[in-house]
Amino acid sequence: MAMLYSHPSRMAAYNTWANARLYDAATALTDFERKRDVKAYFTSLHGTLNHLLTADRIWLKRLTGEGEAPARLDTVLFEQFSELREAREVEDKRLMDYAATVKPEQLETILEYVNTRGEAKALPLGVVLTHLFNHQTHHRGQATHILRQLGVAEPPSLDLLYFALPTA
Protein backbone atom coordinates (compact mmCIF):
# COMPACT_ATOMS: atom_id res chain seq x y z
CA MET A 1 0.00 0.00 0.00
CA ALA A 2 1.38 3.41 -0.95
CA MET A 3 2.12 5.86 1.81
CA LEU A 4 0.41 9.25 1.48
CA TYR A 5 2.66 12.27 1.86
CA SER A 6 2.18 16.00 1.88
CA HIS A 7 4.57 17.62 -0.58
CA PRO A 8 7.05 18.71 2.13
CA SER A 9 6.93 15.24 3.72
CA ARG A 10 7.44 13.53 0.36
CA MET A 11 10.42 15.72 -0.40
CA ALA A 12 11.91 15.14 3.06
CA ALA A 13 11.49 11.38 2.64
CA TYR A 14 13.08 11.55 -0.82
CA ASN A 15 15.90 13.66 0.58
CA THR A 16 16.59 11.09 3.31
CA TRP A 17 16.54 8.24 0.78
CA ALA A 18 18.85 10.03 -1.66
CA ASN A 19 21.30 11.06 1.05
CA ALA A 20 21.52 7.47 2.32
CA ARG A 21 22.26 6.20 -1.21
CA LEU A 22 24.89 8.89 -1.73
CA TYR A 23 26.62 8.13 1.56
CA ASP A 24 26.48 4.39 0.80
CA ALA A 25 28.27 5.04 -2.50
CA ALA A 26 30.85 7.26 -0.77
CA THR A 27 31.88 4.38 1.50
CA ALA A 28 33.60 2.82 -1.54
CA LEU A 29 36.21 5.57 -1.31
CA THR A 30 39.06 6.08 1.11
CA ASP A 31 39.14 9.09 3.39
CA PHE A 32 41.92 10.54 1.23
CA GLU A 33 39.79 10.15 -1.91
CA ARG A 34 36.71 11.72 -0.29
CA LYS A 35 38.82 14.72 0.75
CA ARG A 36 40.81 14.99 -2.48
CA ASP A 37 40.62 18.41 -4.13
CA VAL A 38 38.74 17.81 -7.37
CA LYS A 39 38.14 21.52 -8.00
CA ALA A 40 34.51 21.23 -6.93
CA TYR A 41 32.72 24.28 -5.58
CA PHE A 42 33.35 23.01 -2.05
CA THR A 43 36.69 21.47 -3.06
CA SER A 44 35.96 17.76 -2.50
CA LEU A 45 33.24 15.23 -1.94
CA HIS A 46 33.79 15.63 1.80
CA GLY A 47 33.51 19.41 1.48
CA THR A 48 30.32 19.09 -0.56
CA LEU A 49 28.72 16.72 1.96
CA ASN A 50 29.70 19.06 4.81
CA HIS A 51 28.18 22.00 2.91
CA LEU A 52 24.86 20.18 2.54
CA LEU A 53 24.74 19.45 6.26
CA THR A 54 25.75 23.04 7.08
CA ALA A 55 23.04 24.50 4.86
CA ASP A 56 20.36 22.21 6.28
CA ARG A 57 21.34 23.18 9.82
CA ILE A 58 21.10 26.85 8.92
CA TRP A 59 17.66 26.42 7.37
CA LEU A 60 16.32 24.20 10.14
CA LYS A 61 17.45 26.79 12.71
CA ARG A 62 15.55 29.45 10.75
CA LEU A 63 12.48 27.22 10.43
CA THR A 64 12.33 25.79 13.95
CA GLY A 65 14.41 28.13 16.10
CA GLU A 66 16.33 25.07 17.30
CA GLY A 67 19.70 23.51 16.59
CA GLU A 68 23.04 24.80 15.42
CA ALA A 69 23.40 27.33 12.62
CA PRO A 70 26.96 27.64 11.32
CA ALA A 71 27.95 31.15 10.28
CA ARG A 72 29.55 30.15 6.98
CA LEU A 73 28.35 27.93 4.15
CA ASP A 74 31.79 26.35 3.76
CA THR A 75 32.00 25.27 7.40
CA VAL A 76 33.47 21.80 7.81
CA LEU A 77 31.43 20.40 10.65
CA PHE A 78 33.05 16.96 10.74
CA GLU A 79 36.44 15.75 9.57
CA GLN A 80 35.57 12.07 10.05
CA PHE A 81 33.24 10.55 7.47
CA SER A 82 31.51 8.31 10.03
CA GLU A 83 30.65 11.33 12.20
CA LEU A 84 29.50 13.31 9.16
CA ARG A 85 27.21 10.47 8.09
CA GLU A 86 25.76 10.09 11.59
CA ALA A 87 25.07 13.83 11.76
CA ARG A 88 23.50 13.70 8.26
CA GLU A 89 21.11 10.98 9.42
CA VAL A 90 20.15 13.01 12.50
CA GLU A 91 19.56 16.11 10.37
CA ASP A 92 17.49 14.15 7.87
CA LYS A 93 15.30 12.93 10.72
CA ARG A 94 14.92 16.50 11.99
CA LEU A 95 13.88 17.59 8.51
CA MET A 96 11.40 14.70 8.20
CA ASP A 97 9.91 15.57 11.59
CA TYR A 98 9.62 19.24 10.68
CA ALA A 99 8.11 18.54 7.24
CA ALA A 100 5.46 16.33 8.85
CA THR A 101 4.18 19.38 10.78
CA VAL A 102 3.77 21.65 7.75
CA LYS A 103 0.18 22.13 6.69
CA PRO A 104 -0.70 23.25 3.12
CA GLU A 105 -2.12 26.56 4.35
CA GLN A 106 1.24 27.41 5.95
CA LEU A 107 3.14 27.32 2.65
CA GLU A 108 2.24 30.94 1.85
CA THR A 109 3.26 32.16 5.32
CA ILE A 110 6.17 34.57 5.07
CA LEU A 111 9.38 33.44 6.78
CA GLU A 112 11.60 36.32 7.83
CA TYR A 113 15.25 35.48 8.36
CA VAL A 114 18.76 36.87 8.17
CA ASN A 115 21.06 35.27 5.61
CA THR A 116 24.72 34.39 6.18
CA ARG A 117 25.74 37.85 4.92
CA GLY A 118 23.62 39.50 7.61
CA GLU A 119 20.92 40.63 5.19
CA ALA A 120 17.26 40.54 6.23
CA LYS A 121 15.12 38.46 3.86
CA ALA A 122 11.50 37.32 3.67
CA LEU A 123 10.07 34.52 1.53
CA PRO A 124 6.99 32.29 1.59
CA LEU A 125 7.59 29.06 3.49
CA GLY A 126 6.78 27.03 0.37
CA VAL A 127 9.56 28.78 -1.57
CA VAL A 128 12.00 28.23 1.29
CA LEU A 129 11.20 24.51 1.47
CA THR A 130 11.42 24.16 -2.31
CA HIS A 131 14.82 25.85 -2.19
CA LEU A 132 16.02 23.63 0.65
CA PHE A 133 15.19 20.43 -1.24
CA ASN A 134 16.34 21.78 -4.62
CA HIS A 135 19.64 22.86 -3.05
CA GLN A 136 20.19 19.31 -1.80
CA THR A 137 19.45 17.89 -5.25
CA HIS A 138 21.80 20.37 -6.90
CA HIS A 139 24.76 19.47 -4.70
CA ARG A 140 23.98 15.73 -4.72
CA GLY A 141 24.31 15.97 -8.50
CA GLN A 142 27.74 17.50 -8.02
CA ALA A 143 28.60 14.79 -5.50
CA THR A 144 27.59 12.09 -7.98
CA HIS A 145 29.88 13.65 -10.56
CA ILE A 146 32.70 13.70 -8.00
CA LEU A 147 32.08 10.00 -7.27
CA ARG A 148 32.56 9.27 -11.00
CA GLN A 149 35.75 11.36 -11.08
CA LEU A 150 37.08 9.35 -8.15
CA GLY A 151 36.43 6.00 -9.81
CA VAL A 152 33.03 4.89 -8.54
CA ALA A 153 31.96 3.27 -11.81
CA GLU A 154 28.22 3.48 -11.35
CA PRO A 155 27.01 5.88 -8.66
CA PRO A 156 23.43 5.18 -7.63
CA SER A 157 20.58 6.91 -9.39
CA LEU A 158 19.18 9.58 -7.11
CA ASP A 159 16.27 10.60 -9.31
CA LEU A 160 13.01 11.29 -7.52
CA LEU A 161 11.24 8.85 -9.85
CA TYR A 162 13.30 5.95 -8.50
CA PHE A 163 12.22 6.89 -5.01
CA ALA A 164 8.58 7.31 -6.02
CA LEU A 165 8.17 4.22 -8.21
CA PRO A 166 6.86 1.17 -6.40
CA THR A 167 9.32 -1.69 -6.18
CA ALA A 168 8.37 -5.20 -7.18
Side-chain angles (χ1 to χ4, degrees):
M1 170 181 251
M3 182 179 248
L4 296 177
Y5 293 103
S6 69
H7 187 66
S9 288
R10 179 186 313 275
M11 294 308 297
Y14 161 67
N15 193 65
T16 297
W17 173 86
N19 283 335
R21 290 173 64 89
L22 180 60
Y23 273 79
D24 285 348
T27 63
L29 302 172
T30 66
D31 192 55
F32 176 81
E33 290 169 322
R34 283 190 295 269
K35 292 178 179 174
R36 183 172 146 212
D37 185 347
V38 293
K39 308 297 184 224
Y41 194 79
F42 292 96
T43 308
S44 64
L45 179 60
H46 194 80
T48 301
L49 296 176
N50 263 286
H51 168 69
L52 284 170
L53 180 62
T54 294
D56 280 3
R57 284 186 172 183
I58 290 169
W59 279 112
L60 278 167
K61 174 73 172 186
R62 292 171 183 162
L63 292 165
T64 68
E66 297 174 3
E68 301 175 38
R72 295 178 45 100
L73 293 170
D74 61 353
T75 300
V76 175
L77 297 167
F78 298 95
E79 287 293 337
Q80 298 301 314
F81 181 73
S82 61
E83 293 173 348
L84 179 60
R85 184 176 196 160
E86 183 178 315
R88 172 76 266 163
E89 291 168 357
V90 168
E91 214 64 24
D92 284 343
K93 179 165 182 352
R94 283 187 67 216
L95 188 51
M96 292 266 297
D97 291 346
Y98 172 75
T101 71
V102 177
K103 303 203 178 352
E105 60 271 15
Q106 293 175 291
L107 295 175
E108 293 303 318
T109 302
I110 302 299
L111 176 70
E112 296 180 4
Y113 64 94
V114 176
N115 70 14
T116 57
R117 291 184 213 97
E119 303 163 339
K121 301 291 181 183
L123 287 167
L125 177 60
V127 171
V128 167
L129 291 174
T130 299
H131 165 73
L132 189 154
F133 296 121
N134 187 62
H135 178 258
Q136 281 270 347
T137 299
H138 168 71
H139 286 296
R140 279 193 303 261
Q142 292 174 340
T144 299
H145 180 73
I146 294 168
L147 286 169
R148 288 297 291 265
Q149 285 181 309
L150 295 174
V152 176
E154 192 60 42
S157 176
L158 302 179
D159 286 346
L160 176 64
L161 293 179
Y162 289 102
F163 167 75
L165 287 169
T167 56

